[in-house]
Structure formats: C-alpha cells, structure tokens
Amino acid sequence: MADDDYSEFRTKAFLDSNMVLEALPLQDLPWSEIDSAGPMLLLVTPTVLKEVDAKKKDGRVGTRARDFNRLIAPIATTGKRVVISEGPPRVELAIATVGRIDWTAYDDLDPAQGDARIIAEALNAREIPENEKLVVSQDINPLFMAKRHGLRTHHAPETWWPKPDPGPLEKENVRLRQRLAEYEKTEPEFDIRFSTAVAQPQVYEVQKLSDEEASALVRRILAKDPKPPQQSGPLTAFNHDSSLDKRYETYQKKTVPQFVARYAQGLELMYGQVPFELVVSNSGNIRADNVIVEVLIIGGTFNPKPVFFQQAGPLAPRPKDQLAMPVPAFNMRDLVRPPVDRHEFQLDFDGRSTKIAATCEDFRHGQRFELEGVLLLDPRHQTDATVVVTVTAANLRGTKTERFAVPKVVRSRAALELVDLDELRYTEEPRMWSVLEKAIEKKDFNAFEWYPRLSDD
C-alpha cells in the first residue's frame, strides 16, 4: 500500500532533475538551510524519473543516475518512503502521485518542455495542499514558472554543487605542479626567519639645531673640555708637546663645530637602533651547494654592532708623551684571516650598509646560518623598512626569497628635547643604552661603534 500520508512533514519539496544529477548527493545537501526542524519530504515527479533514467549510460552523470535509481527502487516495489537523513532535520524521499494534467489550463506551460512538465506535475500532485508545495532547483526557468503559478521556491546556491571538473588548462597546471614537486625532491629547501627585538620600534625624526642652539652647544662642549695645561720650565721642556696648541685649535674651530653640525643626525642614529636576528636553515633532505645568502634593506642600514653617539661631544686632545715609544700602526684588515671551512659561512658584513652577503660551499641538511646585528632605521623614509632575504644555490632552480616588513612609529623631536644642554646627558634613555653602558664598564670598546669617528690629528 502506498505511503501517501504527508501530513507529518513540515516541508514538501519537489526536486528538479538537476538536483538529482548535478548537485551534491541528496544525503550530503544542507537541507537545514530550508527547514532546520523538519521533518522534510523530498518528492520526484514522473518527468524527473524519466529524465534521470535516460542518463544511466551518460558518460558524465551516468553513475549518479544509476545510484539514484538504486536509491528509489524500494519505493517502486513497496511504496514506502526512503530515509535520506536522520537529521536534524529528518529527510525522506518519495515519488509524487500525479493526477491527469489538463494542459488547456496551463497555456503558458509547454508539455514538450521538461521544466514545464515538472512544474505542471508539482501543481497536480495529490494529497498536498498548494500552499505547502516547494520547488527546489538551481535553474531559473523552472523556478520562474513555479512562482508564476503560486508555488513557493528555493534557489539552490552554488555551495550545493560540487566543484567543477578541471578544464584542460587547469589539468595541465596540476600536471606541471606535480612535476615541480618531483623536481623539488632533488633540490635543497630553505627556511628563512627574520625578527627584531622590538615589534614596532619608536624612532625620532630630529630637527636640525638652529644657529643659536648650535653656537650654545659648541660653547658648552668647549667649556666642558678646555685645553689641558702643560708644565713649563727647563726640567720639563724636553717633554713639552709643541703640537697641542695647533691640535686644540683644530678641535676648537673644526672638530667640535663639525660634530655639532651632525648632532641631529647622530641623535636619529642613536634612537633608531633595534637589534635583529636572521636564521637561514637547510630544512630539506638535500645538501645545498655553493649557497649565497643576500640580505637587503630598504629604509635603513645594517650594522654588526650598536652605535654610540657621544652626546657630550668629542674629547679634547691631550698632550702627547714625547718619551713614549711610538707604536707601529697596522690595519686589522691587513691581517691574514683564518681559512673558512667548506661547511661554514664566509660573511661580508663589515659596517653600516644596506646589503649583507654570506657564502657557503657545502650547506648540509639541518645546518643553520645565524646572524645577529643592529638595524639602523631611517625615520625620514616615508614607509616602513623592508628586509629582503634571497637564497641561491648551485643545485636550486631559481631562488628562495622572503620579504619582512619592519614597522616603525616616527616621532618628531627637537635635539635639545633629547639632550640636557647643561649636563650634556640624554633626557630619554636610548633603546641600546644598557648594552652600551655594560660594554663601557667592561672597557670593551670593540663591542660598539663610535659615531662620528673624529680625530684630533
């Protein structure tokens, strides 16, 4: 006996053919988008059954058609509904019982057109009041016809459809990506990390000293450090430094004024420092041959050590000991550097620069290249600084490049807001001050760079 009592169902939905053949499987569709509580009844009309059956041998949707026929087979033999989902909501499937259609009553529906037949069958389905019938489709044409005849509709969204099969171009892209993945198994892989000690450092754009401020600062520095006295007399004549007067005059008229002229620049440098760390790892399973690591910065410079701007000014020249034995001068660069092991990196990073380079002949799996230094951020650069790290290797196709933004907060300051003119001390402790103080206490003057490098000679 047919189970055609539909009164228990809150929603009775008539399905278009495309819902059976093209959409996701009926049991996978989100029916709760139509009725969250349920229960729901899905109904297929004779025309839908005929259209689906005709597609059993179709190369594209034949499998879906055969699966659906197996699903509804129990309905055809027992008349009982099939449970699609236990829910919520609970969803069942049935074949609609359709009465004879008087096509003269539907002059806008063409009996030769499939969509029109489905709507006419829904209108003539028995045991269901007109106001409870709902037509579900993705196609606009049947929904428009249903609406015109007073039926409720639901336009199935794209999310109810499976992703389309890839076209020829996409298939070729997939094939090329697979080939690339195979190539990469024979290439080294690199992991690049770059970080700063402060996530968003504050830097100062320092206003240039006015003529009056510059003159006052010159006078204050000279008053703090006057020309040192020398003993005079016949017993000390042989140790008298006759060059002191000329050297102090140079200090007074050239060295200190030049220092003051660069005072704002020095303060920007002092307050614009932030430590950084760079780590490049060979994270793959392949050794990297003849590796080159290049690091560039836009909006600043790199330095291997902190910079100390002497806010109190350069020291005045002192008398030279005429009896002291002269120490031969030599340049550290002239010293022979120890050879670099083939597994080690040779670094080109001597001073303030926008570029760092490092090379390694044999960069093994799991090996790391680590570099620490100081970023000197330019407060006058209009945008945040950007660090670009590029790694190349003889056995790597192309390059590995990472870009890292270094955001900053720029504040405008007058020079004498940051330095007390009377005491010649910083009024606001620079970020690197504690590091510099510790180095000075230990007399480790190689731990930082003096700025500017001034000589009294």
Side-chain angles (χ1 to χ4, degrees):
M1 180 177 178
D3 190 359
D4 55 3
D5 181 9
Y6 304 145
S7 61
E8 65 181 285
F9 295 97
R10 281 167 39 105
T11 301
K12 294 90 171 175
F14 289 84
L15 303 182
D16 189 4
S17 301
N18 60 14
M19 297 302 302
V20 175
L21 296 173
E22 307 282 353
L24 294 169
L26 296 179
Q27 64 271 20
D28 296 334
L29 288 172
W31 298 110
S32 60
E33 293 181 9
I34 296 178
D35 187 340
S36 59
M40 283 187 64
L41 179 65
L42 307 181
L43 292 150
V44 291
T45 67
T47 296
V48 172
L49 293 175
K50 182 178 179 181
E51 290 181 350
V52 171
D53 194 63
K55 297 291 185 180
K56 288 188 298 184
K57 296 183 180 180
D58 186 278
R60 186 173 65 87
V61 296
T63 301
R64 290 291 300 274
R66 292 190 295 272
D67 288 344
F68 182 75
N69 281 348
R70 283 192 292 270
L71 179 65
I72 64 171
I75 303 176
T77 57
T78 67
K80 298 293 183 181
R81 299 185 293 267
V82 172
V83 177
I84 297 298
S85 171
E86 293 291 349
R90 180 181 173 87
V91 181
E92 297 185 21
L93 177 67
I95 299 174
T97 303
V98 179
R100 181 180 296 274
I101 300 174
D102 180 7
W103 288 102
T104 60
Y106 307 115
D107 57 356
D108 62 331
L109 297 180
D110 183 356
Q113 185 186 40
D115 287 343
R117 293 193 64 86
I118 293 172
I119 300 305
E121 289 168 350
L123 290 168
N124 287 271
R126 295 173 179 172
E127 308 301 332
I128 304 175
E130 293 295 302
N131 62 346
E132 295 182 9
K133 295 175 180 178
L134 174 74
V135 176
V136 181
S137 177
Q138 192 191 42
D139 294 343
I140 297 300
N141 189 45
L143 295 178
F144 177 71
M145 287 187 286
K147 199 66 137 175
R148 197 165 59 220
H149 285 271
L151 299 179
R152 294 186 299 123
T153 60
H154 179 78
H155 185 203
E158 291 292 337
T159 54
W160 286 33
W161 254 247
K163 293 182 179 179
D165 292 334
L169 181 59
E170 188 174 350
K171 288 180 180 178
E172 178 64 12
N173 289 337
V174 171
R175 186 185 69 82
L176 293 175
R177 285 196 293 269
Q178 290 174 341
R179 286 190 61 185
L180 179 61
E182 291 297 322
Y183 283 138
E184 289 175 345
K185 292 180 181 179
T186 63
E187 293 184 338
E189 296 178 16
F190 299 102
D191 178 63
I192 303 173
R193 290 187 293 110
F194 182 88
S195 60
T196 55
V198 182
Q200 192 173 23
Q202 179 172 273
V203 298
Y204 290 142
E205 182 177 340
V206 182
Q207 302 164 18
K208 187 178 179 181
L209 291 168
S210 67
D211 292 343
E212 293 78 8
E213 290 172 333
S215 298
L217 183 56
V218 169
R219 290 194 300 270
R220 182 67 189 91
I221 293 173
L222 294 176
K224 172 189 67 70
D225 213 354
K227 184 174 68 174
Q230 294 192 85
Q231 294 181 350
S232 60
L235 296 178
T236 58
F238 59 88
N239 199 29
H240 182 81
D241 182 5
S242 59
S243 69
L244 179 61
D245 290 344
K246 183 177 181 181
R247 288 191 293 117
Y248 190 82
E249 183 181 3
T250 300
Y251 168 79
Q252 185 180 39
K253 295 182 178 181
K254 180 179 178 182
T255 304
V256 173
Q258 286 182 349
F259 169 80
V260 170
R262 299 161 68 180
Y263 207 76
Q265 180 183 349
L267 290 174
E268 288 184 349
L269 201 61
M270 188 68 175
Y271 284 97
Q273 302 179 74
V274 57
F276 75 84
E277 180 184 37
L278 170 67
V279 179
V280 178
S281 306
N282 184 344
S283 55
N285 298 315
I286 305 297
R287 181 191 70 199
D289 298 329
N290 299 318
V291 174
I292 301 175
V293 178
E294 289 187 322
V295 191
L296 300 175
I297 185 170
I298 303 167
T301 54
F302 298 113
N303 210 54
K305 59 181 71 174
V307 175
F308 178 35
F309 174 66
Q310 294 175 274
Q311 81 286 356
L315 296 175
R318 297 294 184 262
K320 295 180 179 179
D321 187 352
Q322 304 299 309
L323 299 179
M325 292 293 293
V327 178
F330 63 92
N331 191 331
M332 293 295 292
R333 294 176 181 270
D334 296 334
L335 296 177
V336 178
R337 295 183 178 180
V340 177
D341 186 88
R342 64 195 306 266
H343 304 301
E344 297 176 342
F345 273 85
Q346 182 168 330
L347 184 64
D348 182 8
F349 184 27
D350 292 329
R352 268 180 281 153
S353 173
T354 58
K355 179 179 178 180
I356 303 171
T359 58
C360 179
E361 183 179 346
D362 186 349
F363 192 33
R364 295 291 179 87
H365 161 68
Q367 189 176 345
R368 290 158 56 98
F369 166 62
E370 300 180 6
L371 176 65
E372 293 183 349
V374 177
L375 284 185
L376 307 175
L377 298 175
D378 182 0
R380 299 175 186 276
H381 188 72
Q382 295 299 312
T383 60
D384 293 333
T386 301
V387 174
V388 183
V389 184
T390 302
V391 182
T392 60
N395 56 337
L396 175 69
R397 295 174 181 84
T399 62
K400 168 77 172 184
T401 302
E402 296 281 356
R403 300 175 69 89
F404 303 91
V406 184
K408 62 181 184 287
V409 178
V410 181
R411 300 279 187 258
S412 180
R413 288 289 187 274
L416 297 185
E417 285 184 290
L418 300 173
V419 176
D420 183 287
L421 184 59
D422 294 328
E423 299 294 330
L424 291 181
R425 291 181 179 276
Y426 284 112
T427 59
E428 185 176 327
E429 188 174 288
R431 188 177 298 110
M432 303 297 294
W433 187 251
S434 60
V435 176
L436 296 168
E437 274 191 327
K438 289 178 182 178
I440 293 172
E441 286 175 7
K442 295 178 181 180
K443 296 185 177 180
D444 184 9
F445 300 116
N446 288 324
F448 56 87
E449 174 189 325
W450 296 97
Y451 178 86
R453 294 174 180 173
L454 298 173
S455 172
D456 62 352
D457 294 329

